[in-house]
Amino acid sequence: MNRIAPVGRALAVAAAASLALTACGGGGGGDTAAQDPSSAASSPASSAPAAKGDGTLTLGTVLPQTGSLAFLGPPEFAGVDQAVKEINEAGGVLGKPITKVHTDSGDTTTNIASQAVDKLLTQNADAIIGAASSSVSESIIDKITGAGVVQFSPANTSDKFTTINDNGLYFRTAPPDKLQGRVLGDLIVADGNDTVGILAMQDSYGSGLADQITTTAEAAGASVVERVDYDPKAAEFSADVAKIKAKNPKAVVLIGFEEGAKVMAELVKQGLTADKVKWYMVDGNMSNTNYLKMPKGTLKGVKGTIPGAEAPDEFRKKLKELNPKLDDFTYAAESYDAANLIALAAEAAKDDTGRSIAAKLPEVSKGGEKCKSFKECVDLLKAGKDIDYDGVSGPVEFDDAGDPAVATIGVYQYGDDNKYPGKALEYRTGKIDG
């Protein structure tokens, strides 16, 4: 097991034992995955004080069913569904069952996400979980938060959201990319690579991660000898890969989504195979489904990072009961925690409107008596206690920007079957303090 050099502001390295791993990433599209009958919940105007809601928490989702991150959709939907199931079994929120409406986010090549948000707002959603893609979330954040509705992403990692104008209504359980970038940059250098090539998709996610990896790797003594920001919608990537090959790096970092399979195929075609040049990946392209058609061993030994603690076996078992076909679990825990936190904030506020929920989200995430399930936490709230929800994805403590103040990054490695089964090589958990 390789140990990674300390990251940023002294991140604590935690457990790690197993040579096989787990990962995934992405964002999708479509129309409506599943829908429960909805009630009219309030959707206050952005400039007016929030009115009292109707007492029924309406929870919408804008998550990937289609598009370049569609492989992330199943675990995210499953995480939300499991949380809603447990919440309603515990008596619901404010004494009523949650109303749940699933929609598709598509990706940036379509207008699916915007149409989905319109649908959810007409159904009076109080909070919307999604999108998975940072760029998709950027495209809909004004529409959601401008309507006084909470937007809560389980997977957005772009650093832009830390300072974005969100009316105090945007939150996320995934940490900003600056942390993942530090961990991956340190890992690359710790593995003995002093020359690095980067192939990054052209968007806020790709450029943000590429910038942080470059800063960290070069601070540790390596050189980024070539960086190519590519169009993810391109038909082929031969010229992009040729630029990397010309600089002969020891390591290649791949930052993208589903199109990463095409980039990898071109790396192989040009002789930059993973047994000759070390490949490194990120949460957006870590998948147990996207590379199964590649020749056996294509990804053997490839390492990648995924934000969040590994989903516990008991949690995975529950999700498999909801969706027996589930193979990836990336951001399932973050989605589950997002739904629980929204529900607990509504209980703490004794109101289901977006503004009331947003006001209580930081409070239920830190500082009080620790609890780990909706039922345990809501019982404490009803007893007049202050709570501190610690989720399946790890400790969740929101800072003033709605970002998690504490986060965990896992390092995973692919096996001969082009999958990353088992546990992470290691985890890093620590404060995100810039």
Side-chain angles (χ1 to χ4, degrees):
M1 178 183 78
N2 292 323
R3 305 299 295 178
I4 305 178
V7 172
R9 305 275 200 272
L11 294 174
V13 176
S18 190
L19 296 177
L21 329 184
T22 302
C24 146
D31 199 0
T32 306
Q35 180 175 328
D36 296 335
S38 66
S39 311
S42 69
S43 180
S46 60
S47 60
K52 279 287 184 181
D54 64 357
T56 297
L57 176 62
T58 300
L59 181 64
T61 67
V62 181
L63 294 169
Q65 299 166 17
T66 61
S68 57
L69 285 179
F71 67 99
L72 283 183
E76 291 171 341
F77 282 115
V80 173
D81 287 344
Q82 181 62 33
V84 170
K85 178 177 181 288
E86 293 177 9
I87 291 165
N88 286 342
E89 287 175 348
V93 173
L94 303 174
K96 297 181 182 179
I98 290 181
T99 294
K100 176 188 64 180
V101 185
H102 285 328
T103 68
D104 180 21
S105 66
D107 57 26
T108 54
T109 65
T110 70
N111 195 39
I112 290 172
S114 181
Q115 294 171 7
V117 171
D118 288 341
K119 174 180 180 176
L120 293 174
L121 293 180
T122 62
Q123 298 194 42
N124 298 312
D126 301 301
I128 294 174
I129 296 177
S133 161
S134 292
S135 292
V136 172
S137 281
E138 282 186 69
S139 74
I140 57 178
I141 189 170
D142 288 346
K143 183 176 287 190
I144 296 173
T145 60
V149 173
V150 166
Q151 181 177 358
F152 198 137
S153 175
N156 288 165
T157 58
S158 171
D159 291 334
K160 282 189 175 182
F161 291 103
T162 300
T163 56
I164 202 166
N165 182 13
D166 60 2
N167 297 314
L169 293 168
Y170 176 88
F171 295 81
R172 54 179 166 179
T173 36
D177 278 328
K178 58 188 175 184
L179 182 62
Q180 182 178 191
R182 288 182 221 154
V183 171
L184 190 54
D186 278 343
L187 173 64
I188 291 165
V189 178
D191 282 350
N193 303 295
D194 56 8
T195 55
V196 183
I198 298 177
L199 283 157
M201 66 186 295
Q202 290 175 334
D203 76 346
S204 60
Y205 170 76
S207 61
L209 264 174
D211 289 346
Q212 186 60 61
I213 290 167
T214 298
T215 298
T216 302
E218 292 188 339
S223 296
V224 175
V225 294
E226 184 64 78
R227 169 176 164 178
V228 179
D229 289 15
Y230 65 82
D231 179 359
K233 299 184 291 293
E236 53 89 34
F237 301 94
S238 58
D240 300 313
V241 171
K243 292 177 182 178
I244 298 293
K245 182 178 180 180
K247 297 300 177 67
N248 193 32
K250 291 181 180 178
V252 175
V253 184
L254 306 172
I255 306 172
F257 293 160
E258 191 177 48
E259 81 291 338
K262 292 182 180 179
V263 177
M264 292 175 195
E266 189 60 40
L267 285 168
V268 171
K269 184 178 179 180
Q270 296 195 27
L272 301 178
T273 53
D275 60 340
K276 295 178 182 178
V277 179
K278 292 180 180 177
W279 296 0
Y280 294 87
M281 297 164 65
V282 292
D283 62 307
N285 51 26
M286 290 288 285
S287 172
N288 273 334
T289 58
N290 282 357
Y291 315 117
L292 298 183
K293 293 182 180 179
M294 289 184 169
K296 185 178 180 180
T298 300
L299 273 70
K300 184 178 181 180
V302 174
K303 294 179 181 178
T305 48
I306 300 178
E310 185 178 19
D313 290 341
E314 182 181 355
F315 179 68
R316 293 182 182 219
K317 182 179 178 181
K318 290 178 181 178
L319 298 192
K320 290 283 279 186
E321 291 174 357
L322 287 176
N323 181 0
K325 295 181 179 179
L326 203 59
D327 194 24
D328 281 326
F329 294 88
T330 304
Y331 294 123
E334 285 80 2
S335 302
Y336 173 86
D337 287 342
N340 276 328
L341 283 159
I342 290 167
L344 290 169
E347 277 284 350
K350 295 181 173 57
D351 182 39
D352 57 283
T353 61
R355 294 192 181 285
S356 296
I357 291 168
K360 289 293 184 178
L361 275 168
E363 183 178 308
V364 299
S365 75
K366 60 186 176 183
E369 187 171 338
K370 289 192 178 294
C371 50
K372 295 186 176 182
S373 70
F374 175 80
K375 186 177 189 319
E376 181 185 0
C377 293
V378 80
D379 286 347
L380 290 172
L381 285 174
K382 289 177 178 178
K385 303 287 184 65
D386 182 21
I387 64 168
D388 179 356
Y389 175 80
D390 278 357
V392 177
S393 65
V396 181
E397 296 182 8
F398 293 118
D399 62 18
D400 292 341
D403 289 342
V406 177
T408 297
I409 306 291
V411 177
Y412 299 86
Q413 182 171 302
Y414 279 85
D416 194 53
D417 59 355
N418 297 331
K419 297 173 69 175
Y420 58 95
K423 297 184 180 297
L425 291 177
E426 65 178 276
Y427 296 98
R428 296 190 152 214
T429 300
K431 292 278 185 181
I432 305 172
D433 54 2

PDB file of all heavy atoms in Angstrom, residues 19-57:
ATOM      1  N   LEU A  19      -6.006  -4.239  -1.959  1.00  0.00           N
ATOM      2  CA  LEU A  19      -5.410  -3.831  -3.213  1.00  0.00           C
ATOM      3  C   LEU A  19      -6.453  -3.526  -4.265  1.00  0.00           C
ATOM      4  O   LEU A  19      -6.127  -3.012  -5.304  1.00  0.00           O
ATOM      5  CB  LEU A  19      -4.478  -4.939  -3.713  1.00  0.00           C
ATOM      6  CG  LEU A  19      -3.291  -5.184  -2.808  1.00  0.00           C
ATOM      7  CD1 LEU A  19      -2.471  -6.331  -3.333  1.00  0.00           C
ATOM      8  CD2 LEU A  19      -2.461  -3.947  -2.659  1.00  0.00           C
ATOM      9  N   ALA A  20      -7.697  -3.869  -4.043  1.00  0.00           N
ATOM     10  CA  ALA A  20      -8.716  -3.597  -5.028  1.00  0.00           C
ATOM     11  C   ALA A  20      -9.588  -2.463  -4.569  1.00  0.00           C
ATOM     12  O   ALA A  20      -9.631  -2.156  -3.426  1.00  0.00           O
ATOM     13  CB  ALA A  20      -9.574  -4.831  -5.209  1.00  0.00           C
ATOM     14  N   LEU A  21     -10.247  -1.791  -5.489  1.00  0.00           N
ATOM     15  CA  LEU A  21     -10.979  -0.601  -5.125  1.00  0.00           C
ATOM     16  C   LEU A  21     -12.341  -0.411  -5.733  1.00  0.00           C
ATOM     17  O   LEU A  21     -12.846  -1.245  -6.415  1.00  0.00           O
ATOM     18  CB  LEU A  21     -10.170   0.605  -5.566  1.00  0.00           C
ATOM     19  CG  LEU A  21      -8.712   0.379  -5.540  1.00  0.00           C
ATOM     20  CD1 LEU A  21      -8.020   1.660  -5.892  1.00  0.00           C
ATOM     21  CD2 LEU A  21      -8.283  -0.091  -4.218  1.00  0.00           C
ATOM     22  N   THR A  22     -12.890   0.821  -5.529  1.00  0.00           N
ATOM     23  CA  THR A  22     -14.236   1.140  -5.966  1.00  0.00           C
ATOM     24  C   THR A  22     -14.312   2.553  -6.494  1.00  0.00           C
ATOM     25  O   THR A  22     -13.789   3.405  -5.868  1.00  0.00           O
ATOM     26  CB  THR A  22     -15.178   1.048  -4.778  1.00  0.00           C
ATOM     27  OG1 THR A  22     -15.080  -0.244  -4.265  1.00  0.00           O
ATOM     28  CG2 THR A  22     -16.588   1.343  -5.134  1.00  0.00           C
ATOM     29  N   ALA A  23     -14.995   2.845  -7.581  1.00  0.00           N
ATOM     30  CA  ALA A  23     -15.142   4.222  -8.019  1.00  0.00           C
ATOM     31  C   ALA A  23     -16.188   4.391  -9.067  1.00  0.00           C
ATOM     32  O   ALA A  23     -16.740   3.448  -9.527  1.00  0.00           O
ATOM     33  CB  ALA A  23     -13.814   4.733  -8.540  1.00  0.00           C
ATOM     34  N   CYS A  24     -16.388   5.643  -9.473  1.00  0.00           N
ATOM     35  CA  CYS A  24     -17.446   5.930 -10.429  1.00  0.00           C
ATOM     36  C   CYS A  24     -17.510   7.417 -10.651  1.00  0.00           C
ATOM     37  O   CYS A  24     -16.803   8.133 -10.030  1.00  0.00           O
ATOM     38  CB  CYS A  24     -18.732   5.304  -9.917  1.00  0.00           C
ATOM     39  SG  CYS A  24     -20.260   6.097 -10.206  1.00  0.00           S
ATOM     40  N   GLY A  25     -18.377   7.944 -11.508  1.00  0.00           N
ATOM     41  CA  GLY A  25     -18.528   9.368 -11.669  1.00  0.00           C
ATOM     42  C   GLY A  25     -19.496   9.714 -12.759  1.00  0.00           C
ATOM     43  O   GLY A  25     -19.755   8.912 -13.605  1.00  0.00           O
ATOM     44  N   GLY A  26     -20.119  10.908 -12.792  1.00  0.00           N
ATOM     45  CA  GLY A  26     -20.882  11.277 -13.940  1.00  0.00           C
ATOM     46  C   GLY A  26     -22.119  12.097 -13.762  1.00  0.00           C
ATOM     47  O   GLY A  26     -22.476  12.472 -12.686  1.00  0.00           O
ATOM     48  N   GLY A  27     -22.858  12.406 -14.840  1.00  0.00           N
ATOM     49  CA  GLY A  27     -24.106  13.147 -14.813  1.00  0.00           C
ATOM     50  C   GLY A  27     -24.982  12.810 -15.986  1.00  0.00           C
ATOM     51  O   GLY A  27     -24.504  12.602 -17.055  1.00  0.00           O
ATOM     52  N   GLY A  28     -26.298  12.733 -15.862  1.00  0.00           N
ATOM     53  CA  GLY A  28     -27.117  12.173 -16.920  1.00  0.00           C
ATOM     54  C   GLY A  28     -28.190  13.039 -17.488  1.00  0.00           C
ATOM     55  O   GLY A  28     -28.153  14.227 -17.432  1.00  0.00           O
ATOM     56  N   GLY A  29     -29.233  12.433 -18.052  1.00  0.00           N
ATOM     57  CA  GLY A  29     -30.305  13.162 -18.671  1.00  0.00           C
ATOM     58  C   GLY A  29     -31.533  12.315 -18.874  1.00  0.00           C
ATOM     59  O   GLY A  29     -31.567  11.160 -18.594  1.00  0.00           O
ATOM     60  N   GLY A  30     -32.625  12.902 -19.347  1.00  0.00           N
ATOM     61  CA  GLY A  30     -33.857  12.176 -19.561  1.00  0.00           C
ATOM     62  C   GLY A  30     -35.025  13.045 -19.207  1.00  0.00           C
ATOM     63  O   GLY A  30     -34.942  14.236 -19.304  1.00  0.00           O
ATOM     64  N   ASP A  31     -36.115  12.428 -18.696  1.00  0.00           N
ATOM     65  CA  ASP A  31     -37.248  13.257 -18.304  1.00  0.00           C
ATOM     66  C   ASP A  31     -37.658  12.968 -16.892  1.00  0.00           C
ATOM     67  O   ASP A  31     -37.258  13.633 -15.982  1.00  0.00           O
ATOM     68  CB  ASP A  31     -38.397  13.020 -19.276  1.00  0.00           C
ATOM     69  CG  ASP A  31     -39.405  14.139 -19.213  1.00  0.00           C
ATOM     70  OD1 ASP A  31     -39.203  15.059 -18.433  1.00  0.00           O
ATOM     71  OD2 ASP A  31     -40.382  14.063 -19.950  1.00  0.00           O
ATOM     72  N   THR A  32     -38.422  11.910 -16.640  1.00  0.00           N
ATOM     73  CA  THR A  32     -38.850  11.613 -15.278  1.00  0.00           C
ATOM     74  C   THR A  32     -38.564  10.176 -14.960  1.00  0.00           C
ATOM     75  O   THR A  32     -39.037   9.285 -15.628  1.00  0.00           O
ATOM     76  CB  THR A  32     -40.350  11.878 -15.116  1.00  0.00           C
ATOM     77  OG1 THR A  32     -40.620  13.196 -15.528  1.00  0.00           O
ATOM     78  CG2 THR A  32     -40.770  11.693 -13.693  1.00  0.00           C
ATOM     79  N   ALA A  33     -37.769   9.921 -13.888  1.00  0.00           N
ATOM     80  CA  ALA A  33     -37.432   8.557 -13.526  1.00  0.00           C
ATOM     81  C   ALA A  33     -38.533   7.938 -12.730  1.00  0.00           C
ATOM     82  O   ALA A  33     -38.969   6.838 -12.970  1.00  0.00           O
ATOM     83  CB  ALA A  33     -36.141   8.545 -12.718  1.00  0.00           C
ATOM     84  N   ALA A  34     -38.975   8.612 -11.717  1.00  0.00           N
ATOM     85  CA  ALA A  34     -40.044   8.092 -10.874  1.00  0.00           C
ATOM     86  C   ALA A  34     -40.728   9.272 -10.244  1.00  0.00           C
ATOM     87  O   ALA A  34     -40.120  10.296 -10.025  1.00  0.00           O
ATOM     88  CB  ALA A  34     -39.484   7.166  -9.805  1.00  0.00           C
ATOM     89  N   GLN A  35     -41.988   9.129  -9.912  1.00  0.00           N
ATOM     90  CA  GLN A  35     -42.697  10.267  -9.362  1.00  0.00           C
ATOM     91  C   GLN A  35     -43.763   9.796  -8.391  1.00  0.00           C
ATOM     92  O   GLN A  35     -44.536   8.912  -8.681  1.00  0.00           O
ATOM     93  CB  GLN A  35     -43.329  11.062 -10.508  1.00  0.00           C
ATOM     94  CG  GLN A  35     -44.096  12.276 -10.026  1.00  0.00           C
ATOM     95  CD  GLN A  35     -44.605  13.086 -11.196  1.00  0.00           C
ATOM     96  OE1 GLN A  35     -43.983  13.142 -12.223  1.00  0.00           O
ATOM     97  NE2 GLN A  35     -45.743  13.695 -11.027  1.00  0.00           N
ATOM     98  N   ASP A  36     -43.747  10.403  -7.204  1.00  0.00           N
ATOM     99  CA  ASP A  36     -44.801  10.179  -6.247  1.00  0.00           C
ATOM    100  C   ASP A  36     -45.805  11.312  -6.392  1.00  0.00           C
ATOM    101  O   ASP A  36     -45.464  12.409  -6.820  1.00  0.00           O
ATOM    102  CB  ASP A  36     -44.246  10.185  -4.810  1.00  0.00           C
ATOM    103  CG  ASP A  36     -43.289   9.037  -4.591  1.00  0.00           C
ATOM    104  OD1 ASP A  36     -43.424   8.041  -5.313  1.00  0.00           O
ATOM    105  OD2 ASP A  36     -42.432   9.158  -3.709  1.00  0.00           O
ATOM    106  N   PRO A  37     -47.062  11.105  -6.002  1.00  0.00           N
ATOM    107  CA  PRO A  37     -48.038  12.195  -6.065  1.00  0.00           C
ATOM    108  C   PRO A  37     -47.529  13.372  -5.268  1.00  0.00           C
ATOM    109  O   PRO A  37     -47.084  13.223  -4.147  1.00  0.00           O
ATOM    110  CB  PRO A  37     -49.290  11.588  -5.429  1.00  0.00           C
ATOM    111  CG  PRO A  37     -49.096  10.115  -5.533  1.00  0.00           C
ATOM    112  CD  PRO A  37     -47.632   9.879  -5.472  1.00  0.00           C
ATOM    113  N   SER A  38     -47.562  14.561  -5.818  1.00  0.00           N
ATOM    114  CA  SER A  38     -46.992  15.710  -5.122  1.00  0.00           C
ATOM    115  C   SER A  38     -48.069  16.600  -4.539  1.00  0.00           C
ATOM    116  O   SER A  38     -49.175  16.681  -5.030  1.00  0.00           O
ATOM    117  CB  SER A  38     -46.115  16.527  -6.073  1.00  0.00           C
ATOM    118  OG  SER A  38     -46.885  17.096  -7.071  1.00  0.00           O
ATOM    119  N   SER A  39     -47.667  17.269  -3.463  1.00  0.00           N
ATOM    120  CA  SER A  39     -48.543  18.238  -2.831  1.00  0.00           C
ATOM    121  C   SER A  39     -48.003  19.615  -3.112  1.00  0.00           C
ATOM    122  O   SER A  39     -46.844  19.781  -3.421  1.00  0.00           O
ATOM    123  CB  SER A  39     -48.570  18.020  -1.318  1.00  0.00           C
ATOM    124  OG  SER A  39     -48.798  16.676  -1.011  1.00  0.00           O
ATOM    125  N   ALA A  40     -48.819  20.636  -2.947  1.00  0.00           N
ATOM    126  CA  ALA A  40     -48.359  21.996  -3.196  1.00  0.00           C
ATOM    127  C   ALA A  40     -47.579  22.480  -2.007  1.00  0.00           C
ATOM    128  O   ALA A  40     -48.115  22.799  -0.978  1.00  0.00           O
ATOM    129  CB  ALA A  40     -49.552  22.912  -3.438  1.00  0.00           C
ATOM    130  N   ALA A  41     -46.243  22.533  -2.165  1.00  0.00           N
ATOM    131  CA  ALA A  41     -45.399  23.106  -1.125  1.00  0.00           C
ATOM    132  C   ALA A  41     -44.983  24.482  -1.575  1.00  0.00           C
ATOM    133  O   ALA A  41     -44.934  24.765  -2.754  1.00  0.00           O
ATOM    134  CB  ALA A  41     -44.188  22.225  -0.899  1.00  0.00           C
ATOM    135  N   SER A  42     -44.685  25.357  -0.630  1.00  0.00           N
ATOM    136  CA  SER A  42     -44.442  26.740  -1.003  1.00  0.00           C
ATOM    137  C   SER A  42     -43.122  26.906  -1.697  1.00  0.00           C
ATOM    138  O   SER A  42     -42.175  26.195  -1.467  1.00  0.00           O
ATOM    139  CB  SER A  42     -44.463  27.627   0.245  1.00  0.00           C
ATOM    140  OG  SER A  42     -43.353  27.362   1.044  1.00  0.00           O
ATOM    141  N   SER A  43     -43.039  27.897  -2.588  1.00  0.00           N
ATOM    142  CA  SER A  43     -41.824  28.243  -3.315  1.00  0.00           C
ATOM    143  C   SER A  43     -41.689  29.747  -3.270  1.00  0.00           C
ATOM    144  O   SER A  43     -42.101  30.443  -4.171  1.00  0.00           O
ATOM    145  CB  SER A  43     -41.926  27.752  -4.758  1.00  0.00           C
ATOM    146  OG  SER A  43     -40.768  28.077  -5.463  1.00  0.00           O
ATOM    147  N   PRO A  44     -41.117  30.284  -2.188  1.00  0.00           N
ATOM    148  CA  PRO A  44     -41.123  31.719  -1.969  1.00  0.00           C
ATOM    149  C   PRO A  44     -40.275  32.476  -2.968  1.00  0.00           C
ATOM    150  O   PRO A  44     -39.314  31.961  -3.496  1.00  0.00           O
ATOM    151  CB  PRO A  44     -40.534  31.854  -0.558  1.00  0.00           C
ATOM    152  CG  PRO A  44     -39.737  30.623  -0.363  1.00  0.00           C
ATOM    153  CD  PRO A  44     -40.435  29.557  -1.135  1.00  0.00           C
ATOM    154  N   ALA A  45     -40.615  33.724  -3.215  1.00  0.00           N
ATOM    155  CA  ALA A  45     -39.828  34.580  -4.095  1.00  0.00           C
ATOM    156  C   ALA A  45     -38.498  34.887  -3.441  1.00  0.00           C
ATOM    157  O   ALA A  45     -38.375  34.944  -2.236  1.00  0.00           O
ATOM    158  CB  ALA A  45     -40.597  35.881  -4.362  1.00  0.00           C
ATOM    159  N   SER A  46     -37.477  35.110  -4.287  1.00  0.00           N
ATOM    160  CA  SER A  46     -36.132  35.264  -3.752  1.00  0.00           C
ATOM    161  C   SER A  46     -35.961  36.521  -2.915  1.00  0.00           C
ATOM    162  O   SER A  46     -35.122  36.577  -2.034  1.00  0.00           O
ATOM    163  CB  SER A  46     -35.124  35.274  -4.910  1.00  0.00           C
ATOM    164  OG  SER A  46     -35.404  36.332  -5.792  1.00  0.00           O
ATOM    165  N   SER A  47     -36.725  37.580  -3.169  1.00  0.00           N
ATOM    166  CA  SER A  47     -36.520  38.839  -2.466  1.00  0.00           C
ATOM    167  C   SER A  47     -37.432  39.016  -1.256  1.00  0.00           C
ATOM    168  O   SER A  47     -37.239  39.910  -0.451  1.00  0.00           O
ATOM    169  CB  SER A  47     -36.740  40.003  -3.435  1.00  0.00           C
ATOM    170  OG  SER A  47     -38.056  39.953  -3.951  1.00  0.00           O
ATOM    171  N   ALA A  48     -38.436  38.158  -1.123  1.00  0.00           N
ATOM    172  CA  ALA A  48     -39.400  38.331  -0.042  1.00  0.00           C
ATOM    173  C   ALA A  48     -39.114  37.375   1.095  1.00  0.00           C
ATOM    174  O   ALA A  48     -38.539  36.317   0.900  1.00  0.00           O
ATOM    175  CB  ALA A  48     -40.807  38.078  -0.573  1.00  0.00           C
ATOM    176  N   PRO A  49     -39.489  37.728   2.337  1.00  0.00           N
ATOM    177  CA  PRO A  49     -39.324  36.801   3.450  1.00  0.00           C
ATOM    178  C   PRO A  49     -40.095  35.521   3.168  1.00  0.00           C
ATOM    179  O   PRO A  49     -41.174  35.551   2.585  1.00  0.00           O
ATOM    180  CB  PRO A  49     -39.935  37.571   4.634  1.00  0.00           C
ATOM    181  CG  PRO A  49     -39.926  38.998   4.212  1.00  0.00           C
ATOM    182  CD  PRO A  49     -40.101  39.002   2.735  1.00  0.00           C
ATOM    183  N   ALA A  50     -39.527  34.403   3.581  1.00  0.00           N
ATOM    184  CA  ALA A  50     -40.169  33.123   3.296  1.00  0.00           C
ATOM    185  C   ALA A  50     -41.467  32.987   4.084  1.00  0.00           C
ATOM    186  O   ALA A  50     -41.514  33.192   5.285  1.00  0.00           O
ATOM    187  CB  ALA A  50     -39.222  31.980   3.658  1.00  0.00           C
ATOM    188  N   ALA A  51     -42.516  32.626   3.373  1.00  0.00           N
ATOM    189  CA  ALA A  51     -43.788  32.355   4.037  1.00  0.00           C
ATOM    190  C   ALA A  51     -43.764  30.939   4.574  1.00  0.00           C
ATOM    191  O   ALA A  51     -42.946  30.119   4.190  1.00  0.00           O
ATOM    192  CB  ALA A  51     -44.927  32.524   3.044  1.00  0.00           C
ATOM    193  N   LYS A  52     -44.662  30.639   5.493  1.00  0.00           N
ATOM    194  CA  LYS A  52     -44.764  29.281   6.010  1.00  0.00           C
ATOM    195  C   LYS A  52     -45.197  28.341   4.896  1.00  0.00           C
ATOM    196  O   LYS A  52     -46.014  28.691   4.053  1.00  0.00           O
ATOM    197  CB  LYS A  52     -45.766  29.224   7.163  1.00  0.00           C
ATOM    198  CG  LYS A  52     -45.194  29.671   8.494  1.00  0.00           C
ATOM    199  CD  LYS A  52     -44.258  28.621   9.052  1.00  0.00           C
ATOM    200  CE  LYS A  52     -43.752  29.010  10.437  1.00  0.00           C
ATOM    201  NZ  LYS A  52     -42.827  28.006  10.979  1.00  0.00           N
ATOM    202  N   GLY A  53     -44.648  27.135   4.918  1.00  0.00           N
ATOM    203  CA  GLY A  53     -45.005  26.159   3.911  1.00  0.00           C
ATOM    204  C   GLY A  53     -46.324  25.484   4.245  1.00  0.00           C
ATOM    205  O   GLY A  53     -46.994  25.820   5.215  1.00  0.00           O
ATOM    206  N   ASP A  54     -46.673  24.494   3.422  1.00  0.00           N
ATOM    207  CA  ASP A  54     -47.940  23.807   3.619  1.00  0.00           C
ATOM    208  C   ASP A  54     -47.804  22.602   4.535  1.00  0.00           C
ATOM    209  O   ASP A  54     -48.763  21.883   4.769  1.00  0.00           O
ATOM    210  CB  ASP A  54     -48.516  23.369   2.275  1.00  0.00           C
ATOM    211  CG  ASP A  54     -47.652  22.338   1.564  1.00  0.00           C
ATOM    212  OD1 ASP A  54     -46.565  22.004   2.082  1.00  0.00           O
ATOM    213  OD2 ASP A  54     -48.070  21.860   0.495  1.00  0.00           O
ATOM    214  N   GLY A  55     -46.590  22.377   5.049  1.00  0.00           N
ATOM    215  CA  GLY A  55     -46.378  21.277   5.976  1.00  0.00           C
ATOM    216  C   GLY A  55     -45.985  19.976   5.317  1.00  0.00           C
ATOM    217  O   GLY A  55     -45.687  18.997   6.001  1.00  0.00           O
ATOM    218  N   THR A  56     -45.947  19.933   3.989  1.00  0.00           N
ATOM    219  CA  THR A  56     -45.497  18.741   3.272  1.00  0.00           C
ATOM    220  C   THR A  56     -44.185  19.048   2.570  1.00  0.00           C
ATOM    221  O   THR A  56     -44.139  19.930   1.699  1.00  0.00           O
ATOM    222  CB  THR A  56     -46.538  18.285   2.234  1.00  0.00           C
ATOM    223  OG1 THR A  56     -47.738  17.921   2.903  1.00  0.00           O
ATOM    224  CG2 THR A  56     -46.026  17.084   1.450  1.00  0.00           C
ATOM    225  N   LEU A  57     -43.124  18.358   2.932  1.00  0.00           N
ATOM    226  CA  LEU A  57     -41.824  18.559   2.295  1.00  0.00           C
ATOM    227  C   LEU A  57     -41.837  17.889   0.924  1.00  0.00           C
ATOM    228  O   LEU A  57     -41.993  16.669   0.816  1.00  0.00           O
ATOM    229  CB  LEU A  57     -40.707  17.970   3.151  1.00  0.00           C
ATOM    230  CG  LEU A  57     -39.298  18.032   2.537  1.00  0.00           C
ATOM    231  CD1 LEU A  57     -38.867  19.483   2.313  1.00  0.00           C
ATOM    232  CD2 LEU A  57     -38.291  17.315   3.441  1.00  0.00           C
TER     233      LEU A  57
END
